[in-house]
Amino acid sequence: MTTIPIDGKERDLGGGFVVRRMLPHLKARHVGPFVFFDEMGPVAFGDDAGLDVRPHPHIGLATVTWLFDGVIRHRDSLGSEVDIHPGDVNWMTAGRGIAHSERTPLEVRHDHASLHGIQVWVALPKSHEKIDPEFHHHPAAELPTVERDGARMVVIAGQAFGAMSPVRVFAPMFFVEARLEPGARLSMPEEHAEWGAYVVEGAARFGDLAIAKRDMAVAHDGPPPVLEATEPSLVMLFGGAPLDGERHLWWNFVASSPDLIEKAKADWAAGKFPLVPGDEYERIPLPNN
C-alpha cells in the first residue's frame, strides 16, 4: 500500500474568510473520482456580510458542499433555489454545462453569519461527462448513519461501511463524515481501490502516517488502510475507483479533453450558458489566464 501525506495551501478571500485547498495536489491530482477538495472557514462574518459567490459555470463534474456551520443559498440555471444547512446534501451534476451561485441569505446576514464546511468536485466518467445537468437536494434525515465502536458516520454519497447514500452517483465512490472517539479504529472500505482522509478536528493515524488537524493522507495499491483516532476527531473520508483516464482542470471546468474546456470557455465568454433565475444580474467573468 502506498500512503501519501497531503499538505494544503491556504488562501484568504478577505474578511478573514480562509479556504484551504487540498486537491488537486502535486502528489495526488485525484483520489478516486475526487479532483477538488477545499475546506471553507470557519469564519464569522461582520455585520451584513456573508458568502457571495456570483453566478459561474461548471462542466464535467458533480459538486457538493457539506456544512458544519452556517447556511448557503444555492441557485442554478435549472431554476433550483435551495438553502443548504449542516447535514444536508446539495448534489449538482454539471454534465454538459450549468451555472450557479452560492450566497449567504440576506435574512441571516443581520445576525453575524458564520460558515464552515467542505467543498468537493467529483469528476464524471467519460460516458457521463456531457449528460444533461441535474440538481438534487437531500435533507439530513435521508442520509444513512453507521455506528461502530467509538465511531459515528454519515454516508454522504456512494457506498461504504455497509450503507449506501440515496445521492445519485455515476461511478464507485464514497464520501463520509466520521466522528470518532479516541482509540476508535476504522478500516477503509475494501470495495474501493483509492482512499483519502482529511482531519477537520482532532488527530489520527491513517495507515502508517500521523495526520493532524487540517491535514490529509491518501492511499492506494494495496489493502485498505486503517484510520485510528488519537483524540476526539472529525474526519472526512473519501475515495473510490480510479478515474477512467486523466482529467483537465481549468478554472471551474473539468473534462477528459482540452477541446471541451476550450468550448466551455468560449461559451461562457459569449454568454451562451443559461442565466441563474433570481441571480441574473451578476456573473464571474472568464479569467484572463
Side-chain angles (χ1 to χ4, degrees):
M1 177 183 63
T2 302
T3 309
I4 303 169
I6 302 294
D7 55 332
K9 294 183 178 180
E10 292 191 349
R11 185 163 57 122
D12 192 331
L13 302 183
F17 184 33
V18 174
V19 172
R20 186 172 179 83
R21 175 74 39 84
M22 306 305 298
L23 296 177
H25 193 277
L26 288 175
K27 296 179 181 178
R29 284 181 50 78
H30 36 76
V31 181
F34 290 80
V35 296
F36 176 98
F37 190 112
D38 269 4
E39 181 181 6
M40 310 178 300
V43 61
F45 295 106
D47 285 345
D48 298 324
L51 181 72
D52 276 306
V53 180
R54 294 168 292 162
H56 59 281
H58 289 289
I59 65 166
L61 55 80
T63 70
V64 65
T65 299
W66 181 254
L67 293 182
F68 309 117
D69 182 38
V71 56
I72 295 175
R73 179 159 296 160
H74 165 97
R75 293 185 177 98
D76 64 42
S77 51
L78 299 175
S80 312
E81 181 176 334
V82 181
D83 288 351
I84 180 171
H85 298 269
D88 297 343
V89 170
N90 278 6
W91 191 273
M92 186 182 75
T93 300
R96 58 179 171 77
I98 197 169
H100 76 132
S101 64
E102 300 163 290
R103 300 184 186 268
T104 302
L106 290 176
E107 60 269 24
V108 175
R109 296 172 186 245
H110 304 307
D111 193 26
H112 299 283
S114 56
L115 190 65
H116 186 203
I118 302 292
Q119 285 195 322
V120 299
W121 295 355
V122 177
L124 298 175
K126 294 177 184 178
S127 59
H128 290 82
E129 66 178 338
K130 293 188 283 187
I131 63 171
D132 290 342
E134 299 178 351
F135 175 80
H136 300 283
H137 176 79
H138 297 271
E142 292 184 2
L143 302 181
T145 58
V146 179
E147 297 197 19
R148 298 186 177 179
D149 292 343
R152 185 180 189 277
M153 293 164 284
V154 180
V155 181
I156 301 165
Q159 182 174 351
F161 305 110
M164 180 177 290
S165 167
V167 172
R168 185 188 182 200
V169 299
F170 299 92
M173 61 161 286
F174 69 100
F175 187 35
V176 173
E177 178 197 270
R179 296 181 182 269
L180 308 168
E181 298 175 4
R185 290 169 55 88
L186 290 173
S187 181
M188 292 300 96
E190 61 183 10
E191 63 266 35
H192 300 293
E194 298 182 352
W195 309 273
Y198 177 73
V199 177
V200 180
E201 296 286 350
R205 292 194 65 82
F206 187 72
D208 57 356
L209 288 178
I211 45 176
K213 179 179 177 179
R214 308 196 86 183
D215 281 343
M216 177 182 286
V218 301
H220 59 89
D221 295 339
V226 173
L227 175 76
E228 181 176 2
T230 54
E231 58 184 80
S233 298
L234 167 58
V235 185
M236 302 304 295
L237 308 175
F238 61 98
L243 277 175
D244 58 349
E246 197 51 73
R247 289 301 188 273
H248 302 271
L249 276 70
W250 189 88
W251 191 38
N252 299 312
F253 304 137
V254 174
S256 62
S257 163
D259 292 342
L260 293 174
I261 300 283
E262 292 304 314
K263 182 179 185 304
K265 290 165 65 174
D267 286 349
W268 183 250
K272 292 183 179 180
F273 275 76
L275 295 175
V276 176
D279 206 342
E280 302 96 335
Y281 304 109
E282 290 188 295
R283 71 200 298 265
I284 300 178
L286 190 77
N288 294 323
N289 51 32

